[in-house]
Amino acid sequence: MTYPLFTKHEDTLQKALAAIETRGYWSPFTEMPSPKVYGETANTDGEAAFKSHLNRTFELDQPATTETVGAEVSPFGFPLGIRYPKADVNALIAASTRAQRDWRAAGPKAWVGVSLEILSRVNRASFEIGYAVMHTTGQAFMMAFQAGGPHAQDRALEAVVYAWDQLRRIPADAHWEKPQGKNPPLAMRKRYTVVPRGTGLVLGCCTFPTWNGYPGLFADLATGNTVIVKPHPGAILPLAITVRIAREVLREAGFDPNVATLLATDPNDGALVQDLAQRPEIRLIDFTGSSQNGTWLERNAHQAQVFTEKAGVNQIVIDSVDDIKSAARNIAFSLALYSGQMCTAPQNIYVPRDGIRTSEGPLSFDAVAGAIAGAVQKLVADPARAVELLGAIQNEGVTQRIDEARTLGRVLAESQTLEHPAFAGARVRTPLLLQLDAATDGAQFTREWFGPISFVIATDSTAQSLELAGEIAAGHGALTLSVYSIDDAVLEAAHEASIRGGVALSINLTGGVFVNQSAAFSDFHGTGANPAANAALADAAFVANRFRVIQSRVHVEPKAVPA
Amino acid sequence: MTYPLFTKHEDTLQKALAAIETRGYWSPFTEMPSPKVYGETANTDGEAAFKSHLNRTFELDQPATTETVGAEVSPFGFPLGIRYPKADVNALIAASTRAQRDWRAAGPKAWVGVSLEILSRVNRASFEIGYAVMHTTGQAFMMAFQAGGPHAQDRALEAVVYAWDQLRRIPADAHWEKPQGKNPPLAMRKRYTVVPRGTGLVLGCCTFPTWNGYPGLFADLATGNTVIVKPHPGAILPLAITVRIAREVLREAGFDPNVATLLATDPNDGALVQDLAQRPEIRLIDFTGSSQNGTWLERNAHQAQVFTEKAGVNQIVIDSVDDIKSAARNIAFSLALYSGQMCTAPQNIYVPRDGIRTSEGPLSFDAVAGAIAGAVQKLVADPARAVELLGAIQNEGVTQRIDEARTLGRVLAESQTLEHPAFAGARVRTPLLLQLDAATDGAQFTREWFGPISFVIATDSTAQSLELAGEIAAGHGALTLSVYSIDDAVLEAAHEASIRGGVALSINLTGGVFVNQSAAFSDFHGTGANPAANAALADAAFVANRFRVIQSRVHVEPKAVPA
């Protein structure tokens, strides 16, 4: 057997193996939308490719009915008008099941080779996918390109390499020979076959369809499963383009393209998803979305391995700082980036009510809160620059939530509606920052307020801040925790709080790294140790149960001579 | 930090790592009860140690009430009369939780070192544990010693080495440095802390308390969890001895011995177990037992990672043989060993109703069935030798099941009651072998008849036999599948059936290896791919989700100079 696609990408795979072991910086996919890397016309070609999808039916040669679905609307203010072939769920599952046999038999090197070839072609489509992500999620273009393109591809490759790191440990066969004293030894040849679970279901979200969708999709493919991708009805296009590329590669490699299929749906597809998620053929589910839906899957899709990322309450503990300005600037950026619509964006900022220490002397609570509010306002003061950071609000639910939140406490920074210079109808809002109190407002700040909504919360002490941080993370979930302190004992206590809360900790971020950012191959995204996610991107546990090993054994001639 | 116990056992660990990679024969624990290895007086000392437990209270210095529990009865015909300290469940959980902090902080090398030291001391107690296994499970001594001693220790070590193989891949820290073109790179130091889940619960069974209990127990310990061991009320002693040894080692190593605790119970402890299994502190559950209880845990203990081994229907497909005598002898041994009370023992033996080919010409269905029945009867003809193979029936439920089964079909070999020469009250039964028909008796043979009950089932063809085998394994669970054929195409079809059924396959066993036997480091026990077990002993998936990784990151000076 030869595995040309495996061989083609083996060098990347080896580097990725080294990267997950050392966890230093590494990425094979260029994050800058550079013409030198992606081609002089890549941007205009990508934008044209995106525009060519608008107001027509997306071509996808998979089992489908004659009907179409699709109701995506750009958060920048226009309907995409894209219709997708409507799949019959039974026919799709049947096609996915039929595709299993040859795909399963092809084995780990074929699965991994095909996965890497798909990824390399997805990388070439980064501009097209970037515009698709922009106009479904509301991310500004640079972020849509980076997070939806190369960074998502990094996370996909990470899932593939974790899968390979486990698969490569299983020998294809073994000679087993047990001494029997003076009698001839017992000898057997054993054969180990890696057997995928079956069909995986990837349930995408509307804010990071590729970044959050790729790990499950590529982990499934790299472990030999077939996969049905069901995007969020509000963000179908990025995953539709991805699935189409996957099908091209599969077909060229001689496989049934129905190894990867798309299930596009109209809005309000909850009942359809619940039915599908409990089908016996669905053996793996990767979900990103609400806690309600994620928990439902964990408790009801018993026939499947279920991987979920759900809601959480991300927190910042401010104990003391060298320089409040750089801390406030960094925090403000984290609040404003994609209008706080990142699962990693901070919400609760704890500051002792008696103020904090800085290298320039003490600073009152109000001064700290004011510094953060001021930094947010400065960051969004120029609408033309602000929209490149804020992007647009993905859906009306978020703008309604801003209105609802406004009454919770004293407004430190008001959420304003901005005009987008390029897109007249864009739904743009600046961050809302409120003041709350740990003593009285726990009912509000212990739940997620998804969107550009955050709270500066007065606490009795840093000790209380850290206690809240650990408790809320453990009880309500969290993907990030950030601490500012110039006191080593506090940093150690913050480390303990992060352990208790099962949440990743960032310390004294004042420069070009933001708490929302999580780098593949180095940062684990999610821990699986609190309610925000039952898995991490990516680790051994994310891949090791997506396949099983079936062995056979038969007697052979011993190699040793009797003792 | 030094890790003296890790260093002490590092050589064994390295050999075990090599063994799980190559999967050839390897074991550090001598399976023969040899005086040369275990000491000239080991047998008599072990028997004396066992007898010293009888009719008194087992000493265990863990949190307990003033009451005692325990109602074990030897299947060889006498009550053990052992009382165990009765634990208050809340107090036990509290003690286990208190023990977590220091144990968690000690880190992977401490966990693995302590686990290996416990194992090495358990090995020294193999005779004592062997007699304890014999007089709780009903296994004859040789099997009780081997399966309950060194083979169980092998499985424990296997779990430890799989845990270490995953733990060692997580670096303690990393330097991450991302180039920023002409600007100085972004540099961070990252720290990765392995954090155990919390408290594990091991739910033992009454037939293989150590062999089936050790993998979960040692996987939990090796990944830094504390563990509560709740033996089956009928087989407490082997695990009580084990936990006492574990506590000694923990105390000597400077840890709170409540890292490992025993929860001994009286019979009918179902309600207690269900309450305990849903406690929020219990984050891992390892269960061996009935499908009803295992499925309940899988569906209701949402707060825990649940690993189950449940009922199944093990099958043999006879297509053609070189020599019917050696095949029949091997099968008969598998049926008789420990009176078929092994989770791996065959139940359904499929033979085409038109007979089979042999190298000496065709053989009718009746001749094949007769050869197997004859081999069984020959094997148990001499009661003195038979009891060393059969052991005793663990409980009355099994003898009642034999009576119930008797009416299902034509009796090929009758189950007889034997007198045990050494134990007057021993509950000894020879295997019951019945003839059934694939066309009419599916309702009976698609479920497990635990005990010395098996069926020779007439099928239309080998193709039908294999179809049944794959279907029943996939639908009702199976741990083993065995095939006899001299036709390569049939062997390939059997391989496909084993893949469909998610079950390990043995081919043409006619010598000294039996389908019931599963060797650690080489044979995966269970696949996790059919209803008989949701996990395999052992693989990466068995250990990788027993811990999580919590990271922290902080800026440091870059190492590189700007480009």
Side-chain angles (χ1 to χ4, degrees):
Chain A
M1 287 286 276
T2 60
Y3 301 95
L5 294 177
F6 185 88
T7 307
K8 179 178 174 187
H9 298 289
E10 197 168 4
D11 181 55
T12 302
L13 197 63
Q14 291 305 327
K15 286 179 179 151
L17 280 173
I20 59 170
E21 198 175 308
T22 58
R23 304 199 78 78
Y25 171 77
W26 182 73
S27 168
F29 302 115
T30 306
E31 70 176 359
M32 295 309 291
S34 156
K36 280 185 206 150
V37 176
Y38 287 96
E40 289 301 326
T41 61
N43 191 349
T44 48
D45 292 352
E47 190 171 11
F50 164 69
K51 285 186 173 163
S52 76
H53 293 302
L54 303 181
N55 302 308
R56 53 179 291 193
T57 298
F58 188 90
E59 280 183 34
L60 200 67
D61 63 337
Q62 67 175 40
T65 64
T66 54
E67 295 170 78
T68 60
V69 293
E72 291 160 292
V73 177
S74 171
F76 293 95
F78 56 94
L80 300 191
I82 310 174
R83 304 293 295 173
Y84 300 88
K86 180 176 179 176
D88 173 77
V89 169
N90 289 326
L92 206 60
I93 288 179
S96 196
T97 302
R98 275 194 305 275
Q100 277 170 16
R101 200 191 149 88
D102 287 351
W103 180 238
R104 190 264 292 160
K109 284 191 173 179
W111 308 330
V112 169
V114 166
S115 299
L116 295 178
E117 177 65 16
I118 294 169
L119 260 187
S120 105
R121 295 208 202 168
V122 163
N123 177 250
R124 277 188 251 153
S126 289
F127 279 91
E128 178 186 0
I129 291 173
Y131 283 103
V133 168
M134 176 180 175
H135 287 293
T136 49
T137 68
Q139 292 172 25
F141 177 72
M142 181 59 100
M143 181 174 179
F145 177 87
Q146 294 190 330
H151 292 174
Q153 294 148 22
D154 280 344
R155 281 287 175 204
L157 174 57
E158 185 187 54
V160 173
V161 73
Y162 266 101
W164 174 245
D165 192 30
Q166 296 302 324
L167 292 169
R168 68 183 175 137
R169 281 164 214 297
I170 298 145
D173 43 41
H175 179 82
W176 179 90
E177 186 160 324
K178 182 175 178 178
Q180 299 291 297
K182 290 176 183 162
N183 296 316
L186 292 170
M188 306 198 89
R189 188 175 77 90
K190 303 192 180 185
R191 189 174 153 193
Y192 304 94
T193 305
V194 176
V195 178
R197 287 275 178 193
T199 297
L201 173 64
V202 174
L203 299 170
C205 66
C206 61
T207 47
F208 289 90
T210 58
W211 200 94
N212 278 105
Y214 282 1
L217 165 58
F218 282 87
D220 282 350
L221 289 177
T223 51
N225 296 281
T226 64
V227 60
I228 297 173
V229 177
K230 202 234 47 97
H232 188 285
I236 300 170
L237 185 59
L239 289 172
I241 296 169
T242 304
V243 168
R244 191 155 80 179
I245 292 171
R247 293 172 62 84
E248 279 166 20
V249 173
L250 283 159
R251 189 181 284 110
E252 286 174 30
F255 295 104
D256 183 338
N258 290 329
V259 165
T261 52
L262 182 78
L263 177 59
T265 57
D266 282 321
N268 303 314
D269 59 4
L272 177 151
V273 172
Q274 290 200 349
D275 282 352
L276 176 58
Q278 290 185 301
R279 288 286 298 252
E281 297 89 348
I282 301 297
R283 306 303 305 277
L284 296 152
I285 298 176
D286 286 84
F287 166 86
T288 312
S290 72
S291 291
Q292 192 188 334
N293 291 341
T295 303
W296 187 91
L297 289 167
E298 290 170 9
R299 298 194 170 198
N300 292 280
H302 297 298
Q303 85 294 349
Q305 304 287 319
V306 178
F307 302 86
T308 59
E309 186 185 317
K310 300 166 290 183
V313 178
N314 301 312
Q315 304 165 94
I316 299 178
V317 171
I318 304 183
D319 167 70
S320 51
V321 293
D322 253 337
D323 168 29
I324 187 66
K325 275 189 191 155
S326 56
R329 202 162 48 223
N330 185 284
I331 293 169
F333 189 92
S334 281
L335 301 178
L337 187 61
Y338 184 31
S339 307
Q341 297 172 108
M342 299 178 72
C343 53
T344 50
Q347 174 181 298
N348 292 359
I349 305 165
Y350 305 107
V351 179
R353 68 181 85 253
D354 294 337
I356 66 168
R357 281 190 299 151
T358 79
S359 55
E360 295 171 347
L363 210 59
S364 70
F365 175 91
D366 286 344
V368 174
I372 299 168
V376 168
Q377 280 153 339
K378 189 172 170 189
L379 206 54
V380 298
D382 172 7
R385 287 176 53 202
V387 295
E388 297 307 324
L389 181 62
L390 295 170
I393 300 294
Q394 207 278 334
N395 61 73
E396 284 297 330
V398 178
T399 52
Q400 286 164 15
R401 197 173 298 119
I402 299 172
D403 292 338
E404 194 192 332
R406 217 170 240 125
T407 60
L408 295 179
R410 185 163 79 91
V411 173
L412 297 167
E414 182 53 279
S415 174
Q416 293 171 310
T417 300
L418 299 187
E419 290 293 315
H420 195 294
F423 298 100
R427 198 189 289 119
V428 183
R429 299 288 185 282
T430 67
L432 175 69
L433 186 68
L434 299 168
Q435 178 177 334
L436 298 182
D437 196 295
T440 52
D441 300 321
Q444 299 305 337
F445 66 72
T446 55
R447 66 186 186 93
E448 185 185 69
W449 291 78
F450 186 80
I453 301 160
S454 54
F455 312 118
V456 182
I457 300 168
T459 65
D460 295 342
S461 62
T462 292
Q464 190 192 21
S465 301
L466 289 172
E467 198 180 313
L468 280 170
E471 230 174 66
I472 290 175
H476 304 274
L479 292 175
T480 63
L481 172 63
S482 183
V483 63
Y484 289 89
S485 181
I486 52 178
D487 181 336
D488 283 346
V490 169
L491 293 181
E492 195 45 43
H495 185 252
E496 283 300 311
S498 78
I499 302 282
R500 275 202 313 282
V503 58
L505 178 68
S506 294
I507 299 167
N508 292 332
L509 296 184
T510 53
V513 171
F514 304 95
V515 68
N516 331 29
Q517 296 172 329
S518 162
F521 309 105
S522 183
D523 294 321
F524 293 104
H525 175 74
T527 62
N530 71 48
N534 76 355
L537 302 180
D539 62 10
F542 188 67
V543 297
N545 222 345
R546 292 181 193 257
F547 64 89
R548 304 281 71 211
V549 177
I550 310 297
Q551 69 169 69
S552 71
R553 56 183 186 178
V554 63
H555 278 292
V556 291
E557 284 302 309
K559 291 178 179 172
V561 290
Chain B
M1 287 288 276
T2 61
Y3 301 95
L5 294 176
F6 184 88
T7 306
K8 179 178 174 187
H9 298 289
E10 196 167 4
D11 181 55
T12 302
L13 197 62
Q14 291 305 327
K15 285 179 180 153
L17 280 174
I20 59 170
E21 198 175 309
T22 58
R23 305 198 78 79
Y25 170 77
W26 182 73
S27 167
F29 301 115
T30 306
E31 70 176 0
M32 295 308 291
S34 155
K36 281 185 207 150
V37 176
Y38 288 95
E40 288 302 326
T41 61
N43 190 351
T44 48
D45 292 351
E47 189 171 12
F50 163 71
K51 286 187 172 164
S52 77
H53 293 300
L54 302 181
N55 303 308
R56 51 178 292 192
T57 298
F58 189 89
E59 280 183 35
L60 200 68
D61 62 339
Q62 66 175 42
T65 65
T66 55
E67 294 171 79
T68 60
V69 294
E72 293 160 290
V73 177
S74 171
F76 293 94
F78 55 94
L80 301 191
I82 310 175
R83 303 293 294 173
Y84 300 88
K86 181 176 179 178
D88 172 78
V89 169
N90 288 325
L92 207 60
I93 288 179
S96 196
T97 302
R98 275 194 305 275
Q100 277 171 15
R101 200 190 149 89
D102 287 352
W103 180 238
R104 189 262 292 159
K109 285 191 172 177
W111 308 330
V112 169
V114 166
S115 299
L116 294 178
E117 177 65 16
I118 294 169
L119 261 186
S120 106
R121 295 208 203 167
V122 164
N123 176 249
R124 277 188 252 153
S126 290
F127 279 91
E128 179 186 0
I129 291 172
Y131 282 103
V133 168
M134 174 180 177
H135 287 293
T136 49
T137 67
Q139 292 172 24
F141 177 73
M142 182 59 101
M143 181 173 179
F145 177 86
Q146 294 191 329
H151 291 174
Q153 294 149 22
D154 281 344
R155 282 286 176 206
L157 174 57
E158 186 187 55
V160 173
V161 72
Y162 266 102
W164 175 244
D165 193 30
Q166 295 302 324
L167 291 169
R168 68 184 174 137
R169 282 165 214 296
I170 297 146
D173 44 41
H175 180 83
W176 179 89
E177 186 160 325
K178 183 176 179 179
Q180 299 290 296
K182 290 176 184 163
N183 296 315
L186 293 169
M188 305 197 89
R189 188 174 78 90
K190 304 194 181 185
R191 191 173 151 194
Y192 304 94
T193 304
V194 176
V195 178
R197 286 275 177 194
T199 296
L201 172 64
V202 174
L203 299 171
C205 67
C206 62
T207 47
F208 290 90
T210 58
W211 200 95
N212 278 105
Y214 282 0
L217 165 59
F218 282 87
D220 281 352
L221 290 177
T223 50
N225 297 281
T226 64
V227 60
I228 297 173
V229 177
K230 201 231 50 95
H232 188 284
I236 300 171
L237 185 59
L239 289 172
I241 297 168
T242 305
V243 169
R244 191 156 79 179
I245 292 171
R247 294 172 62 84
E248 280 165 19
V249 173
L250 283 159
R251 189 180 284 111
E252 286 174 30
F255 295 104
D256 183 338
N258 291 328
V259 165
T261 52
L262 182 79
L263 177 57
T265 57
D266 282 321
N268 303 315
D269 59 4
L272 178 151
V273 172
Q274 290 199 349
D275 282 352
L276 177 58
Q278 292 185 299
R279 288 285 298 253
E281 297 88 348
I282 301 297
R283 306 303 305 279
L284 296 152
I285 298 175
D286 285 84
F287 166 87
T288 312
S290 72
S291 292
Q292 191 187 335
N293 290 342
T295 303
W296 187 91
L297 289 168
E298 291 170 8
R299 299 195 168 196
N300 292 282
H302 297 299
Q303 85 294 350
Q305 305 287 320
V306 178
F307 302 86
T308 59
E309 184 183 318
K310 298 166 291 182
V313 178
N314 301 312
Q315 304 166 92
I316 299 178
V317 171
I318 304 182
D319 167 70
S320 51
V321 293
D322 253 338
D323 168 29
I324 187 64
K325 274 189 191 155
S326 55
R329 202 162 46 222
N330 184 285
I331 293 170
F333 189 92
S334 282
L335 300 178
L337 187 61
Y338 185 31
S339 306
Q341 297 172 111
M342 299 179 73
C343 51
T344 49
Q347 174 181 298
N348 293 358
I349 305 165
Y350 304 108
V351 179
R353 68 180 85 252
D354 294 338
I356 66 167
R357 282 189 299 150
T358 79
S359 55
E360 294 169 348
L363 210 60
S364 70
F365 174 90
D366 286 344
V368 175
I372 299 168
V376 168
Q377 279 153 339
K378 189 171 171 192
L379 206 53
V380 297
D382 172 8
R385 287 176 53 204
V387 295
E388 297 307 323
L389 181 61
L390 295 170
I393 301 294
Q394 207 278 334
N395 61 72
E396 284 297 330
V398 177
T399 52
Q400 286 164 14
R401 196 173 300 119
I402 298 172
D403 292 338
E404 194 191 333
R406 216 169 240 127
T407 60
L408 295 180
R410 185 164 79 91
V411 173
L412 296 168
E414 182 54 277
S415 174
Q416 293 171 311
T417 300
L418 298 187
E419 289 293 314
H420 195 294
F423 298 100
R427 197 189 289 120
V428 183
R429 300 287 185 282
T430 67
L432 175 69
L433 186 66
L434 298 169
Q435 179 177 334
L436 298 182
D437 197 296
T440 52
D441 300 320
Q444 300 305 338
F445 66 72
T446 54
R447 66 186 185 94
E448 184 185 68
W449 291 79
F450 187 80
I453 300 160
S454 53
F455 312 119
V456 182
I457 300 167
T459 64
D460 294 343
S461 63
T462 291
Q464 189 191 22
S465 301
L466 290 172
E467 198 180 313
L468 280 170
E471 231 173 65
I472 290 176
H476 304 274
L479 292 175
T480 64
L481 172 64
S482 183
V483 62
Y484 290 89
S485 181
I486 52 177
D487 181 336
D488 283 346
V490 168
L491 293 181
E492 194 46 43
H495 185 251
E496 283 300 310
S498 78
I499 302 283
R500 275 202 312 282
V503 59
L505 178 69
S506 293
I507 300 166
N508 292 332
L509 295 184
T510 53
V513 171
F514 304 95
V515 69
N516 331 28
Q517 296 172 328
S518 162
F521 308 106
S522 183
D523 294 322
F524 293 104
H525 173 74
T527 62
N530 71 46
N534 77 354
L537 301 180
D539 62 9
F542 187 67
V543 297
N545 221 346
R546 293 181 194 255
F547 64 89
R548 303 281 71 211
V549 177
I550 310 297
Q551 69 169 68
S552 70
R553 56 183 185 176
V554 63
H555 278 292
V556 291
E557 285 302 308
K559 291 179 178 172
V561 290

